[in-house]
Amino acid sequence: MFPKVIAIPRLCKRHLNQFLKQHIRQCVTVPTSSVPHVCVVGSGPAGFYTAQQLLKGNPDIVVDIYEKLPVPFGLVRFGVAPDHPEVKNVINTFTKTAQSERCSFIGNVEVGRDVTLQQLRKAYSAVVLAYGADDDRTLGIPGEELNNVISARSFVGWFNGLPQDKDLKVDLSAERAVILGHGNVALDVARILLTPVDILKKTDISQHALDALSQSCVKEVLLVGRRGPLQVAFTIKELREMIKIPECKPNLNPKDYLKLNDLLPDLPRPRKRLTELLYKTALEPTPTDKKLWAGAKREWRLDFLRSPVHIYGETKATGVKFAINRLEGEDPVIKTAVVTEETEDIDCGLVLRSIGYQSVSIDKDIPFNMQKGVVSHSQGRVKGLAGVQVVHFSDWKKIDEAEVKKGKECGKPREKLVNIDSMLKIASSCE
């Protein structure tokens, strides 16, 4: 059989492991007389979790992990904020996997450049695409091409030492920065901009970024989102960290949070806890918080119901024009942002776009949905790849057993299968 090609979606660890258990092991079906040999493209968390599940599920399987960089671990190395070292502890588990006798790390080999998908399909029982999302979603508005309009992905790569972003031009000479987005990455970026350098220098932040941040003039960071406080996408852990940044204070407009307290009883628990913290931070800060914020040199705030429509500047960003939105929808959490004719201008010298990532096609033979920025697939199996399912004699035995079983049910020695698709489905089953 030509090997199956499997695309790994962007999921959290728990949901990713669930996906792997449901799909990956069943997809790796090879003749019983041979050793299954699987290729995993990408050595980030998805790639290593896939390898772990495969090695755990089959004592004979062999896994090769391909990585375009000379170093492994993907987002764990280049995406996790430097002040979150505990998150990187998973590298220890990944290292054990890579050192297994049945697992090989093959770095500095780029699929689509050094080896093709077709070559991999011929060499392996299955190919798993776990190379992640390597491009940014864009706003598509005037001024997005100006200097100092930077994607959060590139900025994170810059301070984390990702080779492709090491020479990113980041001008920190302005006092105000605007971050477009209300997700965890947006808060990570804001926290790095606002955290004292004396704290950052004790982390594994890249030296070129540390040097630039030590000269930073940024004193105010605005995180702007198109919907309201009940729709923010960051989690309570990241919010707590923002509240506790030394020498920095939140500047939250109480009017944005006044009505939240009445809605708390009806919210799901995670959303309730997050919303409650927003409410208390804005309206009922503790004495400890007030003491922490006293004499703060920097501040941050959350702006809601704003959609960017134009970034100003001649060569470098000097401000953003926002359309004012209104929310529509019956559910207090699930709301749609509708743009109105009202606008607002906000001056700034740095704009960071944190509105999500998307995948790119790494090989001409990968069926890729350019509009959605994803590999075309059905429940993980890549669509549109030509392949012939070879039926071995051991597979015929499965068909034989199925025919005999079906025959016994109607008092016959056998009931022959006449549908080829049914024969192939039985032949490729794991039973």
Side-chain angles (χ1 to χ4, degrees):
M1 179 192 297
F2 259 91
K4 299 175 178 68
V5 181
I6 304 149
I8 301 296
R10 290 174 60 83
L11 300 169
C12 68
K13 179 180 177 181
R14 180 170 63 86
H15 289 132
L16 180 61
N17 278 334
Q18 188 177 45
F19 172 86
L20 294 172
K21 289 177 181 177
Q22 290 176 347
H23 299 286
I24 297 298
R25 295 180 191 172
Q26 292 90 331
C27 287
V28 183
T29 54
V30 295
T32 56
S33 59
S34 64
V35 174
H37 200 170
V38 178
C39 163
V40 176
V41 181
S43 70
F48 269 101
Y49 287 136
T50 298
Q52 287 175 0
Q53 289 293 332
L54 290 170
L55 295 170
K56 180 181 177 181
N58 188 323
D60 299 317
I61 206 166
V62 176
V63 180
D64 290 343
I65 303 176
Y66 283 77
E67 169 58 54
K68 68 178 181 179
L69 293 173
V71 292
F73 309 134
L75 279 179
V76 181
R77 177 182 169 92
F78 297 115
V80 175
D83 57 347
H84 285 174
E86 71 284 352
V87 179
K88 300 182 183 182
N89 288 338
V90 72
I91 285 177
N92 298 328
T93 303
F94 293 166
T95 298
K96 291 180 181 178
T97 300
Q99 291 175 338
S100 166
E101 293 181 353
R102 295 186 287 125
C103 183
S104 296
F105 171 75
I106 303 173
N108 199 38
V109 175
E110 184 173 351
V111 176
R113 183 194 67 184
D114 304 311
V115 63
T116 68
L117 178 66
Q118 290 299 341
Q119 288 174 323
L120 294 176
R121 293 180 70 204
K122 292 177 181 178
Y124 289 93
S125 309
V127 178
V128 180
L129 303 178
Y131 61 86
D134 209 26
D135 204 357
D136 308 296
R137 292 179 182 171
T138 56
L139 297 164
I141 61 174
E144 195 170 4
E145 75 289 344
L146 290 171
N147 293 332
N148 243 28
V149 180
I150 302 170
S151 77
R153 182 197 60 77
S154 296
F155 189 73
V156 170
W158 174 72
F159 64 65
N160 270 334
L162 183 62
Q164 69 188 45
D165 295 319
K166 63 182 175 62
D167 296 321
L168 185 70
K169 303 299 181 183
V170 182
D171 184 345
L172 301 174
S173 61
E175 292 192 358
R176 177 185 288 166
V178 167
I179 300 175
L180 305 174
H182 279 168
N184 280 341
V185 174
L187 264 63
D188 281 347
V189 168
R191 197 176 62 255
I192 295 300
L193 286 171
L194 295 168
T195 297
V197 173
D198 285 345
I199 294 176
L200 291 178
K201 70 182 182 182
K202 297 176 183 178
T203 71
D204 66 353
I205 190 170
S206 295
Q207 189 61 44
H208 61 256
L210 188 64
D211 292 341
L213 289 166
S214 67
Q215 303 297 318
S216 173
C217 297
V218 176
K219 295 182 179 179
E220 182 184 17
V221 174
L222 277 56
L223 297 109
V224 187
R226 60 190 178 90
R227 296 192 292 172
L230 284 176
Q231 289 80 42
V232 294
F234 52 75
T235 56
I236 192 168
K237 177 182 181 294
E238 278 67 26
L239 178 59
R240 286 198 187 104
E241 289 178 325
M242 290 294 294
I243 294 170
K244 303 296 184 182
I245 297 174
E247 303 176 11
C248 184
K249 67 178 180 180
N251 181 13
L252 305 183
N253 187 344
K255 293 181 180 179
D256 291 331
Y257 307 91
L258 278 172
K259 298 180 181 180
L260 295 184
N261 208 35
D262 297 333
L263 299 173
L264 288 176
D266 298 324
L267 297 176
R269 186 172 183 273
R271 177 64 62 178
K272 178 179 179 179
R273 294 173 62 236
L274 173 62
T275 305
E276 189 173 33
L277 182 56
L278 282 170
Y279 177 86
K280 289 183 176 180
T281 303
L283 297 166
E284 301 175 359
T286 66
T288 302
D289 287 337
K290 290 181 180 179
K291 183 178 180 180
L292 178 67
W293 302 335
K297 301 176 183 178
R298 294 170 294 276
E299 67 178 45
W300 59 274
R301 81 173 195 236
L302 298 173
D303 282 3
F304 303 104
L305 303 177
R306 302 290 188 274
S307 290
V309 293
H310 193 159
I311 300 174
Y312 292 117
E314 293 185 5
T315 58
K316 173 189 168 185
T318 58
V320 184
K321 179 181 286 294
F322 290 94
I324 310 299
N325 300 332
R326 70 171 188 271
L327 295 181
E328 293 184 354
E330 298 293 330
D331 190 291
V333 177
I334 303 174
K335 296 282 189 179
T336 301
V338 178
V339 176
T340 70
E341 295 182 356
E342 187 180 356
T343 62
E344 177 188 35
D345 290 348
I346 297 179
D347 295 333
C348 64
L350 171 64
V351 179
L352 289 153
R353 183 182 63 234
S354 184
I355 57 173
Y357 307 154
Q358 65 180 19
S359 292
V360 295
S361 180
I362 59 172
D363 189 284
K364 62 181 179 62
D365 290 321
I366 294 177
F368 198 79
N369 187 322
M370 297 299 295
Q371 186 175 2
K372 294 182 178 179
V374 297
V375 177
S376 299
H377 68 93
S378 176
Q379 294 186 325
R381 281 193 199 195
V382 176
K383 294 180 177 179
L385 290 173
V388 177
Q389 180 173 340
V390 177
V391 178
H392 296 267
F393 199 79
S394 57
D395 300 322
W396 145 247
K397 294 296 291 182
K398 299 177 188 176
I399 298 172
D400 178 44
E401 291 172 5
E403 290 183 343
V404 171
K405 181 179 179 181
K406 193 173 182 181
K408 285 183 179 179
E409 292 173 357
C410 54
K412 299 168 61 179
R414 138 186 340 262
E415 179 63 32
K416 294 177 183 175
L417 295 173
V418 295
N419 185 285
I420 291 179
D421 289 338
S422 298
M423 295 180 191
L424 294 177
K425 183 177 181 180
I426 292 172
S428 62
S429 68
C430 297
E431 297 178 0

